[in-house]
Amino acid sequence: MVVTHASRSAPDATTHTDAERADIELLRGLVAIESLSNEEGAAVSYLRALMAARGFTLIDDSAGSAVGTIGAGERHIVLLGHIDTVPGRIPVEIKDGVLHGRGAVDAKGPLATFVAAATAAAAATGGLNKRVTVVGATGEEIIGSPGAHQVATWPAPDFCIIGEPSGWDALCLGYRGSLSLIYRLRRSTRHTAGPGESVAQAAVDFWNSLMAELAEWNATATNSFTSIGHSLRGFNTVGDGLTDEAVLSIGLRLPPELDVDRLLERIRELALDAAVEIDGLQLGYRTTKRSKLVPPFLRAIRAHGGMPSFTLKLGTSDMNVVGPVWDCPIAAYGPGDSSLDHTPEERIELAEYLRAVKILADVLVAL
């Protein structure tokens, strides 16, 4: 099992068909519309209009996501992407076959792939004999994932594909979870020359103890995916002359099947007289190569010149939300190099995007 993966792009095409040009414009237009979490309205309207023009039936969604269905039949396939992005404006341009812009990889590239592939599959079959529902979910980049949680209330589909960058020739089979904690220590103000430690020093001691504790938990981990990741997101101290307070914002990445309650109990023991609050919790989720989704992807990737591989991601995605609820065959797929997520260099090769469209269209027909 490969844990990390750098996407390998297809050779650059010198000419494009009308359909490919339309698919490129779909992606470019979507990336050009800023859509930060909680501010996705304009991008949702754009995507809904394009889906309607491509023959999708639009579905109103209480979480504000862009939702459209194409095809008809008893079998139902949900293509769940997300339309929001993290902050950071990157000038949108196409240069030397590469589209630059915030969201090009995470995750408007995969989302545009979903719409384009469903359109192509419907055209190739004269109308799909199954329902394919594309979701451009809101709020994936923030705690709560309201778009995915709303979708999770639907009846379980027969198959679900999550729109995240795996590379055109790879499938992602799992994501670690996340735990956000707020450590808060309040003590009476003391003179800096007096006995005892400051709240800042106590907070530092707690952090060091937590690092030692996690090192013990990770001693038996076989790779990064099965280990607990950690980050100190913020450290602040304040005082009003009577009370001093130290606050740490901590993020942990959780492998699937971790005993989270036991971990929290140990963290609170280490915190001594400080309070530890849960600011957000999402459990990890992992599927297997035995999923019924895997064979059609392997065949399609090979048919388009690729050598299929599998990945496990160290972050989270909406797979963590719907996977445990639906318990259906599920995997994540989409073009793009995930190492460019959230970076100033975010970009996607158009040749890779177009090849992913063809592969996913083949998969939708095969399913």
Side-chain angles (χ1 to χ4, degrees), residues 138-208:
T138 55
E140 193 272 348
E141 297 288 2
I142 57 175
I143 296 173
S145 293
H149 277 285
Q150 173 59 31
V151 169
T153 65
W154 299 355
D158 296 281
F159 300 96
C160 177
I161 302 172
I162 303 295
E164 291 286 348
S166 60
W168 69 270
D169 54 358
L171 275 180
C172 179
L173 300 181
Y175 290 83
R176 289 195 300 186
S178 66
L179 174 62
S180 297
L181 300 172
I182 302 297
Y183 166 97
R184 194 181 306 274
L185 175 62
R186 291 190 180 99
R187 289 179 180 172
S188 297
T189 299
R190 55 175 289 280
H191 194 287
T192 56
E197 61 181 4
S198 67
V199 292
Q201 182 61 53
V204 170
D205 290 344
F206 163 76
W207 175 254
N208 290 336

Side-chain angles (χ1 to χ4, degrees), residues 91-326:
V92 178
E93 63 174 345
I94 296 176
K95 184 176 181 180
D96 297 328
V98 178
L99 173 64
H100 300 256
R102 174 62 77 220
V105 173
D106 186 17
K108 292 180 177 180
L111 178 56
T113 299
F114 284 177
V115 176
T119 305
T125 57
L128 286 165
N129 61 351
K130 66 207 74 176
R131 288 184 298 133
V132 176
T133 300
V134 175
V135 182
T138 55
E140 193 272 348
E141 297 288 2
I142 57 175
I143 296 173
S145 293
H149 277 285
Q150 173 59 31
V151 169
T153 65
W154 299 355
D158 296 281
F159 300 96
C160 177
I161 302 172
I162 303 295
E164 291 286 348
S166 60
W168 69 270
D169 54 358
L171 275 180
C172 179
L173 300 181
Y175 290 83
R176 289 195 300 186
S178 66
L179 174 62
S180 297
L181 300 172
I182 302 297
Y183 166 97
R184 194 181 306 274
L185 175 62
R186 291 190 180 99
R187 289 179 180 172
S188 297
T189 299
R190 55 175 289 280
H191 194 287
T192 56
E197 61 181 4
S198 67
V199 292
Q201 182 61 53
V204 170
D205 290 344
F206 163 76
W207 175 254
N208 290 336
S209 297
L210 178 59
M211 292 301 95
E213 180 73 17
L214 294 182
E216 291 187 19
W217 283 64
N218 288 337
T220 58
T222 56
N223 52 46
S224 297
F225 184 78
T226 58
S227 69
I228 303 172
H230 52 79
S231 62
L232 181 58
R233 298 170 176 170
F235 185 169
N236 188 42
T237 59
V238 295
D240 60 6
L242 300 176
T243 302
D244 292 334
E245 180 181 69
V247 178
L248 305 183
S249 176
I250 298 168
L252 302 180
R253 295 293 184 174
L254 313 177
E257 302 179 0
L258 177 76
D259 189 340
V260 179
D261 290 338
R262 178 169 160 258
L263 175 62
L264 281 169
E265 180 182 7
R266 183 63 185 132
I267 290 174
R268 289 189 167 112
E269 290 174 354
L270 295 174
L272 301 176
D273 57 328
V276 176
E277 308 162 9
I278 297 176
D279 194 38
L281 172 62
Q282 184 65 67
L283 299 180
Y285 188 83
R286 178 176 182 174
T287 185
T288 73
K289 296 179 184 178
R290 296 187 297 274
S291 167
K292 293 181 181 179
L293 267 175
V294 169
F297 266 107
L298 298 185
R299 290 193 296 268
I301 290 170
R302 291 185 180 117
H304 289 275
M307 180 67 70
S309 62
F310 298 94
T311 73
L312 295 168
K313 295 297 181 68
L314 303 183
T316 59
S317 78
D318 283 337
M319 182 188 290
N320 302 70
V321 177
V322 300
V325 178
W326 283 345

Side-chain angles (χ1 to χ4, degrees), residues 31-118:
V31 172
I33 300 173
E34 187 176 49
S35 55
L36 305 180
S37 304
N38 295 323
E39 300 176 15
E40 303 100 335
V44 167
S45 296
Y46 170 83
L47 188 59
R48 281 171 58 88
L50 280 182
M51 286 196 291
R54 287 170 173 250
F56 285 75
T57 298
L58 300 181
I59 300 173
D60 292 331
D61 178 79
S62 61
S65 301
V67 184
T69 295
I70 194 167
E74 293 184 3
R75 179 162 291 183
H76 186 204
I77 304 168
V78 172
L79 307 180
L80 175 56
H82 70 88
I83 201 166
D84 63 317
T85 73
V86 296
R89 293 186 177 182
I90 301 172
V92 178
E93 63 174 345
I94 296 176
K95 184 176 181 180
D96 297 328
V98 178
L99 173 64
H100 300 256
R102 174 62 77 220
V105 173
D106 186 17
K108 292 180 177 180
L111 178 56
T113 299
F114 284 177
V115 176

